[in-house]
Amino acid sequence: MNTLFFKNGLKPKTKSQTKFVRVSVLLCTLHFSLFTFSQVKDTTKLNQLDEVLVSAVRVTAKTPVSFSNLGKKEIKFRNLGQDIPILMNYLPSVVTTSDAGNGVGYTGIRVRGSDATRVNVTINGIPYNDSESHGTYWVNMPDFASSVESLQLQRGVGTSTNGAGAFGASLNMLTDNYAAQSTGEISNSFGSFDTRKHTVKFSTGLMNDHFEIAGRLSAIQSDGFVDRGASDLKSYFLQGTYVGKTTLIKALVFGGNEQTYQSWNGIDGETLQKDRTFNSAGAFTDEQGNARFYDNETDNYQQDHSQLHWNEKIATNWNTNFALHYTKGKGFYENYKENAKFSGYGLTPIVIGGTTINRTDLVRQKWLDNDFYGTTFSANYKDAKLDFIFGGGWNKYEGSHFGKVIWARFASQSELGDKYYDDYAVKTDGNIFAKANYQITDKLSLFGDLQFRSVNYKADGVQANSVDDTFNFFNPKTGLTYDIDTNNSLYFSYARANREPNRTDYEGRNVKPEKLNDFELGWRYVAEKVQFNSNVYYMAYKDQLILTGNLDDVGAPIRSNSEKSYRLGLEVDATIALTDQLIIRPNFTVSANKNKDLAVEGKDYGTTDIAYSPSIIAGNILVYTPIENLHISWLQKFVGEQYMNNIELPAAKLADYFVNDLNVAYTFKPKSIFKEIIVTGLVNNFLDKKYVSNGYMYDIYPYYYPQAGINFLAGVTLRF
């Protein structure tokens, strides 16, 4: 879901020595980089429009929070069809994975060891996480990166935002700014595994100095690295903007349609050694005893978003934002099931030729049909000393879950269109918050943030249980920032977060909401020659819902409460220009992630590692521009060992890995027709490392998601 070079003939002789050398080489590179000084530009500032749209959920260097910004210019050369998590792979404390093995289709992200259900995601301040699962399904918005102006990843609890509580990080994305002049863009890319991306974008520019219409159409297809791990993805984006002297109104509609052949089963250890691309999804034996694969073992989903934003500058120091949103999602996944029990599908036994039949081969579809709508608002007062924001939101989710049998060898009493289950869920989520940065003295500023959030969740059919829970959460946050001088600043913050269980957590288990106390201590250094950030965090959890490593019968991760657990870590990142042509961007995280006094099914395991939480994560980007229009990047990522369950079962250990990518782009500047022609190439994993980025445990048996070896993407973008 390597080859290393050693000087003086020194080579590791054992596997453990090899791992030590890999880590040492990367960390030494990072250490050297952090203390090399040269000219660098400040990329953390947002333009005025961005501030209006996302000021309620974003932070600046004055806020005592650990964060990273990623802009359109920084990802454009790698935006060749892979999903947003893959484009974020080189940010601090981030680990990414891909079910199909090549970054197209279903992809996932973890931050500080926390999976995507614990990363709060907003688009222009509107919640994006699925209300029931809390997950973020990027496959539903293919090529969304082509419509993103910038994104900000806040690690830890961060500041108050809309939607589910952030327990690992919060990610907010700002869609494209308006363009003053008309523009057009055509992008096409091709690569390994028959991967193709086609994108068309346009903007009218400001018409009559007030109105702009912009849009995008995209299509992505890929066979995937694993067998039949194919994706057929389509998306659109349309935006209308009105710009007045004190008014900004943006109306957006965007969405996507995805069909992916299921590749979420993974493979066992023996198959991993023999056939890394094997995919068991859809496997069955026909009536003649032939092994076959069902050709429509697919996931199918359509998701459409509508947003309306009204920003008003009502006075010199006051800005307001009001937004309405509506999201429609509908789709299903289809499975061939061999020898399925009649009782599981509401069928009654039948007698044929004196033989009672109570099992059959069948094809089923499991459907979701949901609506998500609501409003968000904020008001911002800002002067020389005070930056105050009051905001909140109210959102409602209504979702139907139902299943159909569309074919059966023995159909019993069923009729076409029958539903063998038909469940319904409603979730309302409201919150209000007030937060402020106050400059106490020229050097000292105080941050405060208070949020109240109320959630009601009603659902039936959750493993034969009905749910009707209401949660009221109070989430205070505070911190201090001290400017030592013009270059150095220190900050300290405390944040409290609470979070409700998701739908899967209720399946046959008694679960509790989880609580988190997050302490952050950081140092920032910004000078003419370098940007440097270091952050120590301690995240103390009560009843944390931790991944067990197991999956339920539809592939959803199973979690259980751990009474006491914590994450303690150091994050370091920097941006340094070694020369006018050479920039280096290293980062690393060293952490301890522990369950305390863990008890599972009555057995005491003591202190153990939290699943999917490597103690070392490191990344590095080396950017070289030998001439003005040539851009060369060498990207490195190391992820340390991690367990796939919480009891440190030896079979549950995932090996560390170190991968390298190479990105080359050249920009032509024609004198006519086109403003730019950009030719881009990306070689992923160019050292052809055979590695596994994710997996799960089926009882005591490990299953793995192998990733592609060396593979490439190449593209051409025409801008006019």
Side-chain angles (χ1 to χ4, degrees):
M1 29 230 131
N2 295 328
T3 302
L4 293 175
F5 298 91
F6 300 91
K7 293 184 178 179
N8 304 319
L10 297 177
K11 297 182 179 180
K13 297 180 180 179
T14 68
K15 186 176 180 181
S16 61
Q17 289 174 336
T18 301
K19 293 178 181 178
F20 174 77
V21 171
R22 290 174 182 167
V23 177
S24 300
V25 168
L26 187 54
L27 290 184
C28 285
T29 302
L30 302 184
H31 183 270
F32 168 76
S33 305
L34 297 178
F35 295 96
T36 306
F37 296 81
S38 191
Q39 175 68 32
V40 65
K41 294 182 179 180
D42 183 0
T43 61
T44 62
K45 294 181 179 179
L46 304 173
N47 64 37
Q48 186 176 6
L49 175 62
D50 290 337
E51 290 177 350
V52 170
L53 282 175
V54 296
S55 60
V57 294
R58 282 199 175 176
V59 298
T60 68
K62 283 293 186 181
T63 311
V65 170
S66 176
F67 70 95
S68 298
N69 291 327
L70 195 61
K72 182 183 291 292
K73 291 182 180 180
E74 295 171 288
I75 64 175
K76 68 178 180 179
F77 296 134
R78 291 191 290 127
N79 184 22
L80 297 171
Q82 294 176 308
D83 222 335
I84 285 179
I86 307 302
L87 298 176
M88 295 173 58
N89 185 50
Y90 298 94
L91 294 181
S93 298
V94 167
V95 176
T96 64
T97 188
S98 167
D99 282 6
N102 67 323
V104 181
Y106 272 90
T107 59
I109 187 171
R110 294 193 181 99
V111 184
R112 291 186 180 177
S114 295
D115 68 281
T117 66
R118 311 165 74 72
V119 177
N120 172 281
V121 179
T122 57
I123 300 173
N124 299 326
I126 305 298
Y128 179 64
N129 297 71
D130 179 80
S131 293
E132 287 195 280
S133 71
H134 297 170
T136 303
Y137 302 103
W138 303 99
V139 71
N140 297 333
M141 297 194 304
D143 199 29
F144 192 68
S146 292
S147 295
V148 170
E149 186 72 25
S150 64
L151 59 84
Q152 183 179 86
L153 180 70
Q154 297 175 26
R155 293 177 287 276
V157 170
T159 63
S160 292
T161 185
N162 296 304
F167 260 50
S170 57
L171 170 65
N172 63 76
M173 296 179 287
L174 174 69
T175 55
D176 279 344
N177 198 348
Y178 66 87
Q181 303 296 323
S182 61
T183 62
E185 182 177 310
I186 300 173
S187 298
N188 294 281
S189 60
F190 305 86
S192 301
F193 319 115
D194 201 21
T195 301
R196 308 180 298 284
K197 180 174 90 79
H198 309 289
T199 302
V200 177
K201 292 184 65 177
F202 77 92
S203 168
T204 63
L206 284 181
M207 299 178 291
N208 298 323
D209 294 326
H210 289 296
F211 298 95
E212 185 232 26
I213 298 174
R216 171 185 57 82
L217 291 174
S218 299
I220 299 174
Q221 292 181 309
S222 177
D223 290 344
F225 166 66
V226 305
D227 298 338
R228 302 177 314 286
S231 300
D232 186 0
L233 316 174
K234 298 177 176 63
S235 67
Y236 66 92
F237 181 91
L238 184 63
Q239 173 178 279
T241 304
Y242 170 78
V243 182
K245 185 176 181 180
T246 61
T247 303
L248 173 70
I249 299 174
K250 297 183 78 171
L252 302 88
V253 289
F254 58 92
N257 176 271
E258 63 92 4
Q259 183 180 66
T260 55
Y261 195 98
Q262 295 168 21
S263 53
W264 53 54
N265 286 358
I267 55 177
D268 61 33
E270 182 179 355
T271 306
L272 179 67
Q273 300 303 317
K274 294 179 179 179
D275 185 1
R276 294 174 57 83
T277 67
F278 181 76
N279 181 10
S280 64
F284 71 97
T285 303
D286 66 18
E287 292 297 281
Q288 288 72 44
N290 301 311
R292 296 174 57 186
F293 292 94
Y294 181 54
D295 63 3
N296 199 39
E297 191 90 355
T298 57
D299 183 71
N300 308 262
Y301 202 75
Q302 171 81 32
Q303 192 174 75
D304 300 288
H305 301 255
S306 302
Q307 296 184 0
L308 177 64
H309 297 268
W310 187 338
N311 304 305
E312 191 73 33
K313 188 177 182 65
I314 59 176
T316 303
N317 301 108
W318 282 96
N319 284 296
T320 62
N321 172 260
F322 176 75
L324 297 170
H325 68 88
Y326 172 67
T327 300
K328 177 64 180 180
K330 188 173 183 178
F332 64 92
Y333 66 88
E334 188 168 309
N335 300 106
Y336 188 102
K337 302 294 290 183
E338 278 192 290
N339 204 30
K341 292 182 179 179
F342 275 18
S343 59
Y345 297 88
L347 305 178
T348 57
I350 58 176
V351 178
I352 300 178
T355 302
T356 299
I357 306 295
N358 55 20
R359 288 177 176 266
T360 184
D361 298 336
L362 56 83
V363 176
R364 70 179 185 185
Q365 292 180 346
K366 289 195 168 186
W367 281 81
L368 290 174
D369 185 353
N370 47 58
D371 301 271
F372 178 62
Y373 52 91
T375 182
T376 64
F377 64 90
S378 66
N380 179 205
Y381 174 84
K382 192 172 185 178
D383 62 21
K385 287 192 173 184
L386 178 64
D387 188 355
F388 171 77
I389 298 172
F390 174 77
W394 179 90
N395 305 293
K396 187 172 184 178
Y397 169 92
E398 299 176 76
S400 296
H401 304 251
F402 57 92
K404 298 179 179 181
V405 175
I406 63 171
W407 172 85
R409 195 174 302 280
F410 301 104
S412 183
Q413 85 286 1
S414 65
E415 297 287 345
L416 188 64
D418 284 355
K419 298 177 181 179
Y420 66 91
Y421 69 91
D422 191 2
D423 305 324
Y424 187 70
V426 177
K427 185 174 185 178
T428 55
D429 181 349
N431 85 98
I432 56 172
F433 60 82
K435 51 188 173 183
N437 257 314
Y438 181 70
Q439 198 71 35
I440 301 174
T441 69
D442 289 342
K443 292 182 176 291
L444 183 65
S445 62
L446 172 67
F447 173 74
D449 184 342
L450 301 175
Q451 182 194 47
F452 176 78
R453 179 168 175 252
S454 181
V455 180
N456 176 257
Y457 179 51
K458 296 180 180 179
D460 52 33
V462 183
Q463 292 290 330
N465 297 319
S466 292
V467 178
D468 186 356
D469 274 348
T470 298
F471 303 94
N472 294 308
F473 298 135
F474 177 59
N475 302 313
K477 308 169 185 71
T478 189
L480 293 167
T481 299
Y482 181 71
D483 295 326
I484 300 172
D485 52 36
T486 56
N487 304 116
N488 294 276
S489 63
L490 299 175
Y491 65 83
F492 171 77
S493 67
Y494 162 77
R496 179 68 179 267
N498 295 270
R499 189 176 176 89
E500 73 277 13
N502 67 22
R503 181 182 178 91
T504 305
D505 294 329
Y506 283 102
E507 294 182 359
R509 293 177 294 278
N510 294 318
V511 289
K512 307 173 185 176
E514 44 190 342
K515 305 174 182 65
L516 168 61
N517 292 300
D518 182 15
F519 301 86
E520 309 269 338
L521 175 64
W523 167 42
R524 295 186 177 113
Y525 180 88
V526 179
E528 183 181 7
K529 298 181 178 182
V530 69
Q531 291 182 15
F532 172 84
N533 303 291
S534 64
N535 185 76
V536 176
Y537 62 88
Y538 178 69
M539 304 169 72
Y541 296 88
K542 171 67 173 174
D543 296 322
Q544 181 182 187
L545 283 162
I546 56 176
L547 292 167
T548 64
N550 293 328
L551 306 179
D552 66 11
D553 64 343
V554 297
I558 294 174
R559 305 189 300 179
S560 62
N561 288 112
S562 174
E563 184 177 358
K564 293 181 180 179
S565 55
Y566 69 87
R567 300 183 188 275
L568 172 65
L570 167 67
E571 297 168 327
V572 177
D573 70 278
T575 299
I576 309 107
L578 304 179
T579 69
D580 289 342
Q581 291 80 35
L582 187 61
I583 296 175
I584 191 167
R585 292 173 176 159
N587 66 77
F588 67 86
T589 301
V590 180
S591 63
N593 310 275
K594 301 292 183 179
N595 300 296
K596 298 172 66 175
D597 303 319
L598 180 67
V600 178
E601 296 179 350
K603 185 176 180 179
D604 185 6
Y605 289 92
T607 299
T608 66
D609 285 345
I610 299 175
Y612 302 103
S613 301
S615 58
I616 299 177
I617 303 171
N620 191 31
I621 302 178
L622 187 70
V623 182
Y624 181 47
T625 53
I627 57 178
E628 182 180 357
N629 295 323
L630 179 60
H631 173 105
I632 303 172
S633 295
W634 176 17
L635 306 101
Q636 303 166 287
K637 188 73 174 188
F638 176 84
V639 177
E641 294 178 341
Q642 55 187 304
Y643 285 99
M644 295 185 292
N645 65 14
N646 290 278
I647 60 175
E648 298 183 351
L649 195 68
K653 182 179 285 189
L654 277 181
D656 58 36
Y657 58 89
F658 180 39
V659 293
N660 294 261
D661 299 343
L662 181 65
N663 187 201
V664 180
Y666 187 81
T667 303
F668 296 90
K669 301 280 189 177
K671 295 183 179 180
S672 62
I673 303 178
F674 299 108
K675 293 179 181 178
E676 289 183 336
I677 300 175
I678 303 173
V679 180
T680 307
L682 175 63
V683 183
N684 297 296
N685 192 10
F686 66 77
L687 296 181
D688 201 27
K689 171 68 177 177
K690 303 296 189 293
Y691 72 104
V692 172
S693 61
N694 194 21
Y696 64 93
M697 297 299 292
Y698 185 76
D699 193 20
I700 62 172
Y701 304 104
Y703 282 77
Y704 306 99
Y705 296 96
Q707 303 299 289
I710 184 170
N711 64 97
F712 76 94
L713 292 164
V716 176
T717 298
L718 308 175
R719 291 180 176 165
F720 50 89

